Amino acid sequence: MKKNIAIIMGGYSSEYKISLKSGNVVYDYLNKDKFNLYRIHIFKNKWVYVDDKGNETPVDRNDFSIPLNGTSITFDCVFNAIHGSPGEDGLMQAYFELLGIRHTSCDFYQAALTFNKRDLLSVLKPYGIKAAPSYYLNLGDEINETDIINKVKLPCFVKANKSGSSFGITKVYKAEELKGAIETAYREDNEIIIEGFLNGTEVSVGVLKLNGKTTVFPITEIVSENDFFDYQAKYEGKSQEITPARINPEQLKKVTIAAKKIYEVLKMTGFSRSEFIFIDNEPFLLEMNTTPGLTTESILPQQAKEAGIELGMLFEYAINEALS
């Protein structure tokens, strides 16, 4: 019997277009001789199954089923390709947990934790995971520019605390630029993280459990053509992504250990992709993504290719782990 797999894509955030691309790549590359695949678009105003002709059928949210040809289709597993809310912040994970439906992403607590940069870095600090100096603001807090600059120095990055794909991020060089950067970040989120600039080699590290074993993929070096790895650099070709990264053996060892440690300390499942910057030979964690991009150009698929894993098998491994 072929398993019924729902591929969820879209979402409620600025990242929905990238998510639709990722979800469609998963649909195109998974083996249809092994799985019955159903594309499910999740938006604030509708949850719908979309067939190959673009016809939409509403999803019954009571049990996450779809009525088709006089029968009700239920799912053995959900492949989560939603970047941002509600697929990466724990909402969909909690929903599937309540319904008893297996899915390819981490559990709801881990998703909520990793989506919140401030909380993630705070939890990992006692385990020796290094991070840049940071300052936090909630919407409505007094903004003391002198305190901020004293803590993080200039230049610094102003980011939305709970947002991916570099939306709402600004690199600030002068004190007078800080207020505008904070306003930009607040358009994405009601919490802000302001981090000191780390000047070093940036790398991205993918991790997945393969046959029950935590596996670190070949590491990618990020060389942005822009001032930093922003949305254009990530998704519009304004960066070089070099796999394997041009790092020395000590850096490779340390960042591999750190990425694996983070995955296991947090009791992760499914895909993760962590971003680090090296200061000398020490990796400093920037953030962790639990629903990383899965387009053919995305970093994790590049790493899988370097490891000799073709895309269809990469996605199939995630489903098999979820069902095991």
Side-chain angles (χ1 to χ4, degrees), residues 120-175:
L120 173 67
L121 297 174
S122 299
V123 165
L124 291 174
K125 188 175 181 180
Y127 293 93
I129 303 300
K130 297 178 174 65
S134 54
Y135 191 103
Y136 306 115
L137 287 172
N138 294 326
L139 187 62
D141 284 353
E142 180 186 350
I143 299 169
N144 187 319
E145 295 178 4
T146 302
D147 280 357
I148 293 169
I149 291 167
N150 285 341
K151 178 80 181 288
V152 303
K153 309 296 186 251
L154 290 174
C156 65
F157 287 103
V158 180
K159 306 176 181 179
N161 187 45
K162 305 187 299 292
S163 175
S165 292
S166 302
F167 285 103
I169 182 170
T170 307
K171 189 174 181 180
V172 172
Y173 290 91
K174 301 174 184 175

Side-chain angles (χ1 to χ4, degrees), residues 193-309:
I193 179 170
I194 304 171
E195 292 180 323
F197 169 59
L198 299 175
N199 188 18
T201 301
E202 182 170 353
V203 296
S204 186
V205 188
V207 184
L208 176 66
K209 269 201 167 68
L210 294 179
N211 302 316
K213 182 182 177 184
T214 304
T215 303
V216 178
F217 286 9
I219 291 160
T220 300
E221 179 183 350
I222 308 296
V223 184
S224 178
E225 293 175 20
N226 293 352
D227 199 17
F228 60 95
F229 195 44
D230 59 5
Y231 183 87
Q232 279 190 321
K234 244 177 212 180
Y235 295 118
E236 296 177 4
K238 298 289 186 179
S239 69
Q240 277 184 282
E241 294 158 3
I242 301 163
T243 310
R246 301 168 299 181
I247 54 178
N248 66 48
E250 184 181 357
Q251 291 173 326
L252 176 62
K253 181 180 178 182
K254 284 185 174 180
V255 80
T256 299
I257 289 170
K260 186 176 181 182
K261 185 176 187 178
I262 292 167
Y263 193 94
E264 293 182 341
V265 160
L266 298 179
K267 298 178 181 170
M268 286 291 299
T269 52
F271 296 113
S272 81
R273 201 193 73 223
S274 300
E275 319 301 329
F276 295 87
I277 285 184
F278 283 106
I279 302 300
D280 297 322
N281 285 327
E282 296 298 321
F284 283 66
L285 179 67
L286 298 178
E287 64 179 15
M288 185 177 190
N289 302 285
T290 58
T291 315
L294 297 173
T295 70
T296 51
E297 303 84 20
S298 296
I299 291 171
L300 195 70
Q302 288 180 37
Q303 296 175 344
K305 183 179 180 182
E306 180 67 23
I309 303 169

Side-chain angles (χ1 to χ4, degrees), residues 60-112:
D60 185 341
R61 301 191 199 187
N62 293 298
D63 59 358
F64 199 68
S65 64
I66 50 175
L68 277 185
N69 304 320
T71 187
S72 179
I73 304 293
T74 57
F75 300 102
D76 299 292
C77 182
V78 174
F79 195 109
N80 183 6
I82 296 178
H83 314 313
S85 186
E88 201 165 5
D89 59 0
L91 295 179
M92 294 304 297
Q93 289 88 342
Y95 169 72
F96 293 130
E97 180 79 15
L98 288 171
L99 293 177
I101 299 174
R102 304 287 186 93
H103 57 86
T104 59
S105 46
C106 57
D107 291 339
F108 64 90
Y109 169 74
Q110 284 81 355

